[in-house]
Amino acid sequence: MKSLRPNSLATFAVILFGIALFYWGTDGFTAYTAESARVNRLLDARPTFPQTTFEDSKGRSYSISEFEGKYVFLTFFYSACSTVCVQLEGNMGRVYETIPAERLGREIVFLSVSFDPDRDDPARLEEYRTFFDSDGETWRMARVPDRTELNRLLDEFGVIVIPDESGGFAHNSAFYLVDPAGTLIDVMDYTRPEEAANEVARILDQERGDGG
Amino acid sequence: MKQSVYGLVLFILLALPPVAGLMESLMIAHMHMQMPLLVASGFLMAKYGQIRFPRFWERWNDNGVPGILLFAIIAVYWMLPRAMDEALAFPGMEAFKFVSLSLLCGMPLRDSWPKIGYAAKSAVIIGFTLLFAGMGLLYVIAPVQLCNNYVLLEQIALGWGFLTTAFCMVIFIIYHLFTRHSAYE
């Protein structure tokens, strides 16, 4: 018995260590991938939109203050992408369709931000916009010409972009919702547009309730 | 003693920034070469620990169960897609990967394996075979990118790596079951 005790103690300690390690490593058994951990962190940190100058498909330049007082529904994409971005922008279009016309542009603006400023010039964005239901006004497509600003924005919102061999990029995707004060308030699953549409409708209704 | 030196050399070699960078640039090399080699370095270095601190192992790892549990916990932890991403994102996690896989995974395995019984050995081998097969299917089938630092194609390659390993382990198990061991002992 005497020689068994430290051994049992060690077994117990190892099991406790294991539980602690997994608890800590998965944020309390909630985040098994870095992507879910990233979303959790973003929702905790609620970063504000950094100073960024956009250039949109109509060649207009403006900063984020252009959208002050409105919600901004945001995605990051690049037009040469033939896989995820098409689904991402297509699903963004499905959310866009559910917003009543009187709210579009007044309470909420849709903005697709390209992280490939070299290729996505205004002409290219103007062409790409027509593939979806984007009108270029209430749903704008824009690039961030300044590399430093672009990187700061991607960094702030936790977007990781890796160039791949064929001149494209691998990147993580989500729907982002920025509130009228410029704070990121929600990150939504881009593969579930219905859920995102409900969430946006709920937030807009709440805002209207608060206001009136 | 000599093998402990080899283990240490292997560990230092793996820790050299160019070597680590090269291995981590490929997802499959990161998980199926760098990590097992770190375990192997700890396995080799364990000899030194056993000679230097025999009482410690005798006392705290008498029946081998604590050691094998520690081995399994660390090994499974590093199979989490997130753990791999974080090792690349945070230097602290990278250091923890090197230390945990060698000292907390390879070392206890060396000390525990001869001590645990046939049933425990079978449980470990079968458990890891199922886990490898499961992880392989997850990485091959998952339509989404599980790791932010690696593209989808690399993830699928890693999945096939897992499935191949699991397949080899199944062959080993079958071979083991159909061999009359008494004939060779």
Side-chain angles (χ1 to χ4, degrees):
Chain A
M1 226 17 223
K2 234 182 176 177
S3 68
L4 198 74
R5 265 209 55 186
N7 187 78
S8 318
L9 210 69
T11 309
F12 187 63
V14 163
I15 291 171
L16 276 185
F17 168 75
I19 294 171
L21 177 68
F22 276 81
Y23 185 85
W24 167 76
T26 60
D27 294 340
F29 307 112
T30 57
Y32 292 90
T33 61
E35 181 61 13
S36 44
R38 173 184 83 93
V39 171
N40 287 352
R41 263 201 304 272
L42 274 179
L43 293 177
D44 274 350
R46 300 196 161 210
T48 50
F49 214 102
Q51 189 52 47
T52 313
T53 311
F54 298 104
E55 186 185 14
D56 73 4
S57 59
K58 309 249 185 262
R60 296 172 293 192
S61 284
Y62 40 79
S63 77
I64 189 67
S65 57
E66 169 92 4
F67 309 115
E68 215 174 318
K70 296 166 192 168
Y71 283 92
V72 182
F73 191 94
L74 199 70
T75 57
F76 296 93
F77 80 107
Y78 69 107
S79 68
C81 162
S82 54
T83 52
V84 183
C85 302
V86 180
Q87 195 197 356
L88 173 68
E89 298 302 302
N91 285 349
M92 185 175 181
R94 287 169 66 187
V95 178
Y96 179 74
E97 281 164 18
T98 66
I99 309 289
E102 75 268 16
R103 285 184 159 176
L104 278 175
R106 272 192 212 102
E107 294 172 36
I108 186 167
V109 176
F110 283 63
L111 179 64
S112 300
V113 178
S114 163
F115 48 75
D116 186 12
D118 296 340
R119 280 180 289 186
D120 292 343
D121 56 10
R124 174 83 189 109
L125 290 171
E126 182 65 16
E127 186 196 353
Y128 191 73
R129 151 183 102 65
T130 58
F131 301 158
F132 302 93
D133 293 327
S134 160
D135 62 354
E137 266 312 311
T138 57
W139 178 1
R140 302 186 187 191
M141 296 206 173
R143 65 170 172 174
V144 180
D146 185 308
R147 281 276 170 195
T148 326
E149 283 186 355
L150 173 64
N151 288 338
R152 197 189 314 140
L153 175 63
L154 295 178
D155 194 46
E156 202 65 39
F157 281 25
V159 182
I160 298 175
V161 177
I162 331 163
D164 67 18
E165 295 86 2
S166 49
F169 301 97
H171 56 99
N172 47 1
S173 305
F175 292 147
Y176 299 86
L177 191 66
V178 175
D179 79 356
T183 307
L184 178 70
I185 54 163
D186 211 350
V187 181
M188 292 163 280
D189 186 344
Y190 78 96
T191 60
R192 300 203 169 112
E194 291 83 12
E195 275 177 30
N198 290 339
E199 178 70 5
V200 170
R202 192 185 63 75
I203 290 170
L204 289 181
D205 286 341
Q206 203 177 21
E207 178 79 5
R208 189 171 274 188
D210 288 350
Chain B
M1 267 321 265
K2 218 172 179 182
Q3 51 177 288
S4 297
V5 177
Y6 291 146
L8 188 65
V9 169
L10 177 61
F11 182 84
I12 292 169
L13 199 69
L14 288 170
L16 291 176
V19 179
L22 184 70
M23 289 198 150
E24 285 158 11
S25 66
L26 269 176
M27 194 179 194
I28 188 162
H30 190 188
M31 196 177 278
H32 284 295
M33 277 179 74
Q34 191 197 49
M35 292 188 186
L37 282 173
L38 281 170
V39 176
S41 78
F43 192 88
L44 291 171
M45 286 191 279
K47 200 76 198 164
Y48 177 77
Q50 283 174 324
I51 294 168
R52 194 83 205 307
F53 312 102
R55 288 282 300 135
F56 173 82
W57 295 102
E58 231 170 80
R59 194 173 152 81
W60 298 99
N61 196 26
D62 185 36
N63 62 6
V65 171
I68 208 75
L69 273 176
L70 188 60
F71 158 77
I73 285 166
I74 300 290
V76 171
Y77 178 75
W78 285 107
M79 281 181 217
L80 290 179
R82 182 178 172 188
M84 237 169 126
D85 260 337
E86 294 198 324
L88 298 178
F90 308 111
M93 281 299 279
E94 177 76 352
F96 177 62
K97 179 178 79 187
F98 274 80
V99 172
S100 63
L101 283 172
S102 58
L103 299 185
L104 301 180
C105 197
M107 247 184 211
L109 175 68
R110 175 77 174 263
D111 191 65
S112 298
W113 195 252
K115 292 180 181 173
I116 57 174
Y118 185 75
K121 279 180 187 164
S122 310
V124 169
I125 290 177
I126 292 169
F128 271 95
T129 306
L130 291 175
L131 189 65
F132 280 9
M135 291 299 283
L137 288 175
L138 172 73
Y139 281 117
V140 170
I141 292 170
V144 293
Q145 201 180 321
L146 293 168
C147 274
N148 284 337
N149 285 292
Y150 295 106
V151 297
L152 198 60
L153 203 65
E154 284 201 51
Q155 182 172 309
I156 292 170
L158 175 66
W160 283 109
F162 263 119
L163 287 176
T164 313
T165 314
F167 182 71
C168 293
M169 287 167 81
V170 169
I171 292 178
F172 169 76
I173 293 169
I174 293 171
Y175 160 82
H176 189 82
L177 284 178
F178 287 92
T179 318
R180 241 186 314 128
H181 298 277
S182 55
Y184 300 97
E185 275 159 8

